[in-house]
Amino acid sequence: DPVSAFGGVLICNRELDGETAKEINKLFFEVLIAPSYSKEAISTLTEKKNRIILQRQDVNLPKKQFKTLLNGVVEQEKDHTIEGPELMIPVTARKPSPQELKDLHFANKIVKHTKSNTIVLAKNGQLLASGVGQTSRVDALTQAIAKAKSFGFELGGAVMASDAFFPFPDCVEIAADAGIEMILQPGGSIKDQLSIDMANQKSVGMVITGVRHFKH
């Protein structure tokens, strides 16, 4: 998202090298975080004035989280669960390919950390778009599709991850018509079979994890 990214925060999970730094400088990022930086990267990144460059340290993540309310605080365990491919149960005639399993795993990681209702679209290890914080799951999906198309991404062969189940088959139908070929959802709706039937009707694959993230 070249519009929202301008002036934003960029976080790396590995050393930031010189070539990456040159690409970063093509679009202004105000804050950079990485476990380490090469000398060439530091030289390039410090060309921009008032940029904040931080080194990420290993930390022990908290096991609890708190939400403030009008008259108190709610305490709950943090969601540290992420389902690997071995926990993705195919429920349709079409089964996921090895690459689709990788993409589903990647998309599900993003879903876990995104405000519900959320839909994430991914392909070949790349985020295409996400629809977030919507009161309707259909709205989240249509938002994600519109954003992906506005960025020029081709949705054919993409996968979709949802943070919660589909109470109706409409999301599956919309996704299939947009070119999405594999869907991940936690399942658990009394109407799961309607979505599974729609996926089979559209020749789309679906896996169920049994874990609902649903971040609020």
Side-chain angles (χ1 to χ4, degrees):
D1 186 344
V3 176
S4 301
F6 185 85
V9 178
L10 190 148
I11 304 174
C12 300
N13 62 359
R14 65 195 69 185
E15 180 171 284
L16 204 156
D17 59 24
E19 286 300 312
T20 305
K22 291 176 183 178
E23 289 298 317
I24 289 172
N25 266 6
K26 293 179 181 179
L27 181 66
F28 177 63
F29 289 93
E30 187 171 8
V31 181
L32 300 173
I33 304 173
S36 60
Y37 302 83
S38 71
K39 291 182 179 180
E40 183 184 357
I42 290 293
S43 176
T44 300
L45 295 173
T46 52
E47 293 173 0
K48 300 285 186 180
K49 294 182 179 180
N50 301 319
R51 170 174 277 161
I52 299 171
I53 302 175
L54 302 174
Q55 183 174 5
R56 181 176 61 82
Q57 305 294 324
D58 291 332
V59 296
N60 293 320
L61 296 175
K63 296 182 179 180
K64 299 282 187 179
Q65 65 179 12
F66 302 89
K67 297 284 187 179
T68 57
L69 303 176
L70 290 175
N71 296 306
V73 177
V74 174
E75 175 188 330
Q76 66 180 15
E77 293 183 357
K78 283 189 70 68
D79 181 5
H80 289 304
T81 303
I82 188 65
E83 307 75 57
E86 70 280 358
L87 297 179
M88 298 176 187
I89 302 171
V91 292
T92 51
R94 188 188 182 295
K95 311 303 180 188
S97 68
Q99 181 59 52
E100 285 172 334
L101 282 174
K102 291 180 181 178
D103 287 342
L104 290 171
H105 189 209
F106 170 70
N108 198 33
K109 286 182 179 180
I110 299 174
V111 154
K112 169 186 167 179
H113 295 288
T114 309
K115 198 82 166 179
S116 189
N117 289 312
T118 181
I119 294 287
V120 169
L121 308 180
K123 183 178 179 180
N124 295 328
Q126 180 181 11
L127 171 66
L128 303 185
S130 58
V132 303
Q134 301 299 305
T135 54
S136 161
R137 195 156 299 280
V138 170
D139 288 347
L141 174 56
T142 54
Q143 181 190 71
I145 291 172
K147 288 178 70 175
K149 289 182 177 179
S150 73
F151 300 150
F153 288 123
E154 171 58 51
L155 288 175
V159 307
M160 176 178 99
S162 173
D163 64 329
F165 60 66
F166 302 120
F168 303 102
D170 44 9
C171 280
V172 176
E173 184 174 15
I174 294 168
D177 290 345
I180 294 160
E181 297 183 13
M182 187 60 59
I183 297 171
L184 176 148
Q185 60 134 330
S189 169
I190 60 174
K191 297 181 179 180
D192 272 347
Q193 193 59 47
L194 293 178
S195 293
I196 295 170
D197 291 344
M198 178 59 71
N200 281 322
Q201 180 182 327
K202 294 285 188 176
S203 299
V204 168
M206 180 182 290
V207 300
I208 285 180
T209 64
V211 179
R212 185 180 184 185
H213 292 293
F214 215 55
K215 181 178 179 180
H216 283 287

